[in-house]
Amino acid sequence: MKSWPRVVKLELIREQFLFSYDAAEELKEAIAKKNHELVYLYSSNLVDEIWKERPKPPSKSIRIHDLKYAGLDVASKLTFLRYELEGAGSSAIVISMLDEIAWLLNLRGNDVPHSPVFYAYLVVNINGAFLFTENSKVTPEVMDHLKSAKVELRPYDSILSEIESLAVQGVNLWMDKSSLNTAIVSTFKSASDRLKKKKRPILNGETGPDAIFKPSPISLAKAVKNDAELEGMRNCHLRDAVALVHFWMWLEDEIGKGVILTEVDAADKLLQFRSEQSGFMDTSFDTICGSGANGAIIHYRAEPGSCSIVTDKELLLLDSGAQFTDGTTDITRTVHLGEPTARQKECFTRVLQGHIGLDQAVFPENTPGFVLDAFARSSLWKIGLDYRHGTGHGVGAALNVHEGPQSISFRFGNMTALQKGMIVSNEPGYYEDHSFGIRIENLLHVKAVDTPNHFGGIEYLGFEKLTFFPMQTKLIDMSLLSPAEIKWVDDYHSQVWEKVSPLLDGSARQKKHLHINKA
Amino acid sequence: MKSWPRVVKLELIREQFLFSYDAAEELKEAIAKKNHELVYLYSSNLVDEIWKERPKPPSKSIRIHDLKYAGLDVASKLTFLRYELEGAGSSAIVISMLDEIAWLLNLRGNDVPHSPVFYAYLVVNINGAFLFTENSKVTPEVMDHLKSAKVELRPYDSILSEIESLAVQGVNLWMDKSSLNTAIVSTFKSASDRLKKKKRPILNGETGPDAIFKPSPISLAKAVKNDAELEGMRNCHLRDAVALVHFWMWLEDEIGKGVILTEVDAADKLLQFRSEQSGFMDTSFDTICGSGANGAIIHYRAEPGSCSIVTDKELLLLDSGAQFTDGTTDITRTVHLGEPTARQKECFTRVLQGHIGLDQAVFPENTPGFVLDAFARSSLWKIGLDYRHGTGHGVGAALNVHEGPQSISFRFGNMTALQKGMIVSNEPGYYEDHSFGIRIENLLHVKAVDTPNHFGGIEYLGFEKLTFFPMQTKLIDMSLLSPAEIKWVDDYHSQVWEKVSPLLDGSARQKKHLHINKA
């Protein structure tokens, strides 16, 4: 039956700041097909009218991300950005991605849980840079830092009038419409349309106002880590491993003593051990601590009151990470504190084979991540198993634990090549509904491999491990592994021992524990 | 410097039959950017004016492809096609792909070297089917065959007037514009445009004339082989292997006796041995017989007078195949009749590891071929080597040696999933310019694998080998192989022995030769 055409206006105002331009356009098109219309509101905000008692926006101070961790000063980053602007025929860019602003300005904040970013917009043009954020968050040190990089401060809520003013100046404005909110993009576009009708004379050599829609150049620059960022990532991973040694020792003791512990208790204790490590700021995401069947829920979050008990009868999947001043961690280990079944061992071993397959991959420059995804699955596929998530995501350096543009996934759309300096997670898994979940995750740094040949005159790339923490060998069915895979396990555990044991406090017990998983 | 706009008319008439519609549109767009215009000519043919003495079109007879090889009668295939037509809202389809016509009508021809097809067009509508081909090619048996399938014969050169007439009848015509020539598509489109202006009354329930542009449904149906086709493919591969045993025996003897043989001599002798096998019709492509540096030229063709000598000092790459009445073969072996270098052995072994990696792959339903491509390259990548061609193409059953829609390639554009019943080649290689070439090629049949699990409620697929002929173990560096890879080589050679030796004439020498490569 055909329905009668009708027009329903979907009214947006605050949502203009919450939807990216691309998402809003998609919504607009989708509802247009059903004869509805998306209308932006400018005079009133429907959400404000029903949500009267809103929490205050966060107001914690912004801090400087030390140059020894950032590796590149703000002036150099701005020079790079302006070079990109000129190349694209634009004279200014507006940035709303919080991690891009934090990276570009070597600043960190506390406005978003688990991500060391702060609410802001940034406009960079050929001569200047303007940070739109709450004054109250800016300490005198941060103010000096900004001044020395010639970045001026502007009120957070003046962003739209600045955008209008850029249009009036005839600026060709670079906007990444996949991330910029629709309020900014549509403000610039309507100002631009208005001005073009008037045939404005060219001022200051500006040829616009035109919108230049291109992906942000900062996304890729941020993804490719410099030596200082890599060093920070390497170091914080070792301190993270020390916290994990303490945690697993404690957990084993408690379970051994018959103490009843919930998944939340375990996650809380892990946070305590992590917070004892120098430079610890926050967890990098909500800890996923899934016992037994909860491990099979890929994005499980244990809640007090409803969560399960950790026992020595089931597998425990623990996916967690930290924000340190020098870097970001993200590690998953799957452990059985009692006796695993043959089924659990076979599945764990095949996940491990996938993990090793990706870890050991060597591939030509310009290879998109999805090409490597099958290496992580092939061992599971051989017995008709698979997992329903990607194998790897990008990770920021003392920034968001998930970042683009690269990924390693069975979703073939992301053509971004893996490049030297990028960081990706390696986290194959297997999930048996209502029974158990397995995931093994290390972070990897994409590096050049010193191959004896360079067919095609190019470099061949591979991975350096950043994560050093034992796999539980009790869960490995060694008879399934090839000699090369057995060597990988031995070599990895030797490296873990070499790197982490010097950081332990010298008690034989701690060191032994680092080894316990080898037994 | 900006050039002045100018219009150059590129005039096409015969070329309208030589360019697919998509290719012509691409050409049109490309030259339009340079202010040129593509104009179709209808009154004269510029090529005819300069090419006066043209060879006559081929006129060999069409033959019936026996039902025991085709597996499905023409009436059933037409029923399937009409079901597809109705599903697409079309009432007729015009087909110009010669292998699609041959497959659909269970006919084979001799008009194109190496491909058992004949020049024709086919129009199928809901009630009838019309084959446009030269009467002289149609024997009384073929005429009876067509009649019993209710296919009517039409003159080859009446296709355009038939297309006009379909438009007049108001038919919605399914056309695959990637393969149909632009003469047919533009004839239908202009007739359709003309008729629509006249607001023709609806006749016989037809709602057109509209062009329905969709990929041909026959391409996929043809790619998925039935049991009879698979049986024919299996059988002809064994006879092909017997011819290859005779050939390699002969070659080794001649070289041993110091006879000077060119690459062309070798290819000719191979053809002779193949033609002694029952059901042999033709080679399935020009034999690639490349000695030494010629092996590094991927599509090398030896020419009498200029080609190289086959010696026991260099690698010989031999890529060849045959058209039999029951199937099509395509096999590449790389052999050294003397002592290979360590470099040649390492490269051969890594190509072999890639070959084994793909051969042994198991993967979920709905996996496009490109996902598997990296399995065939990873061993080469580890030492910085690669090859610049795809790993696998589809192969017809007693039809074209290259067919779509599936492929296994680093080119990520082909999203066609590998499906049960498809045939693909597995042919990784490595080519060292000016030195040697290595390729190892078997044909594989995509089959369901009896996995112990079926995660996602789907089937997991793998490969059955169709090609059985030894690899030269002299070229394998066993120290590089894993135990599983060594087992693969042993198992494969046992299967070769088991399947091929009963077909040899009983002389101990032949059987020994089949084994020689194992020594």
Side-chain angles (χ1 to χ4, degrees), chain B residues 58-65 101-102 105-111 116-120 131-143 145-146 153:
Chain B
S59 61
K60 284 192 190 153
S61 296
I62 299 170
R63 60 187 162 88
I64 296 169
H65 184 55
I101 296 171
L105 298 183
N106 291 346
L107 294 175
R108 294 297 185 266
N110 291 287
D111 293 350
V117 297
F118 53 97
Y119 288 122
L131 178 65
F132 297 78
T133 195
E134 290 306 330
N135 247 315
S136 62
K137 292 179 187 170
V138 181
T139 63
E141 295 75 33
V142 168
M143 200 63 218
H145 172 85
L146 290 171
L153 206 59

Side-chain angles (χ1 to χ4, degrees), chain A residues 134-249:
Chain A
E134 290 306 330
N135 246 314
S136 62
K137 291 179 188 170
V138 182
T139 63
E141 294 76 33
V142 168
M143 199 64 216
D144 287 349
H145 172 85
L146 290 172
K147 267 185 192 155
S148 72
K150 301 200 175 71
V151 179
E152 292 175 40
L153 206 60
R154 294 273 188 279
Y156 184 64
D157 55 13
S158 70
I159 183 65
L160 290 188
S161 58
E162 173 68 16
I163 294 295
E164 284 256 3
S165 148
L166 288 170
V168 171
Q169 290 161 49
V171 163
N172 290 327
L173 186 63
W174 185 331
M175 297 185 283
D176 182 339
K177 61 195 178 65
S178 71
S179 63
L180 268 185
N181 64 50
T182 194
I184 288 182
V185 178
S186 49
T187 296
F188 186 81
K189 279 184 69 176
S190 40
S192 161
D193 290 347
R194 243 178 7 251
L195 289 156
K196 280 185 181 165
K197 276 185 199 146
K198 288 190 193 162
K199 296 211 172 136
R200 192 189 58 81
I202 291 172
L203 299 170
N204 311 320
E206 297 285 1
T207 60
D210 280 318
I212 299 192
F213 291 127
K214 275 178 69 120
S216 162
I218 302 166
S219 170
L220 185 61
K222 175 168 61 60
V224 174
K225 271 65 179 173
N226 60 43
D227 290 346
E229 290 172 321
L230 288 170
E231 202 48 34
M233 291 295 279
R234 288 187 194 102
N235 290 336
C236 74
H237 272 82
L238 301 185
R239 299 199 303 281
D240 208 47
V242 172
L244 285 162
V245 169
H246 290 301
F247 167 77
W248 285 109
M249 269 177 62

Side-chain angles (χ1 to χ4, degrees), chain A residues 302-333:
Chain A
E303 299 285 355
S306 67
C307 70
S308 293
I309 301 297
V310 177
T311 79
D312 61 358
K313 303 280 178 287
E314 308 206 80
L315 280 179
L316 180 66
L317 186 156
L318 185 69
D319 186 354
S320 68
Q323 293 290 357
F324 291 97
T325 45
D326 51 348
T328 305
T329 68
D330 183 0
I331 173 173
T332 311
R333 287 295 180 269

